[in-house]
Amino acid sequence: AVVSTQSTGAPKAAEKMSQERQNVMSLRKLSSEVARDHEQAKRSLKEFCGRMIQNIKSREEEMLNQLNAKKTSLDKVISGKIVETDDRLKMVEQTKTFAEKIQ
């Protein structure tokens, strides 16, 4: 009975060792895959963030251009109003001067 237990124990131990080796190999493979996936995720996130930053910069530049165009337009309107007001003031002064001469 002792001999048969030893003879069945050795194959079981060898089978267990083989199973543990397979588990270790599986864990190494999984670890490698996780590391690769992690690196890929980091690259993808970096690329995504880069595109988002570029989109924000482009939008910012577009908005600045629109604001500058509006400012230029307003500056022209204001300049026109100033010239118009100056012309009216000159006309009022001329009319006053003419009225004073008549009296």
Side-chain angles (χ1 to χ4, degrees):
V2 173
V3 173
S4 66
T5 305
Q6 287 177 346
S7 65
T8 58
K12 284 184 180 179
E15 186 181 319
K16 188 174 181 184
M17 286 292 286
S18 174
Q19 185 62 45
E20 286 179 6
R21 257 188 246 117
Q22 286 178 349
N23 288 346
V24 167
M25 294 300 287
S26 293
L27 284 173
R28 284 181 181 158
K29 183 179 176 189
L30 282 174
S31 176
S32 172
E33 290 173 1
V34 166
R36 188 185 65 236
D37 290 349
H38 177 73
E39 287 303 314
Q40 178 60 42
K42 277 180 20 181
R43 278 193 302 275
S44 295
L45 184 59
K46 193 173 184 178
E47 289 169 6
F48 173 76
C49 289
R51 285 192 307 271
M52 290 300 292
I53 289 169
Q54 194 55 48
N55 288 343
I56 290 168
K57 285 181 179 178
S58 295
R59 183 71 180 123
E60 180 183 37
E61 188 175 336
E62 184 182 316
M63 291 172 81
L64 278 172
N65 288 340
Q66 288 175 358
L67 284 173
N68 283 333
K70 287 179 182 178
K71 180 187 178 299
T72 301
S73 176
L74 284 173
D75 285 347
K76 287 178 183 176
V77 169
I78 291 169
S79 294
K81 293 293 181 191
I82 290 172
V83 169
E84 215 176 278
T85 304
D86 283 348
D87 290 348
R88 285 184 182 168
L89 282 173
K90 285 178 189 171
M91 283 175 40
V92 167
E93 278 297 318
Q94 288 173 351
T95 304
K96 181 182 165 195
T97 305
F98 180 71
E100 288 171 348
K101 285 182 182 177
I102 292 176
Q103 289 179 337

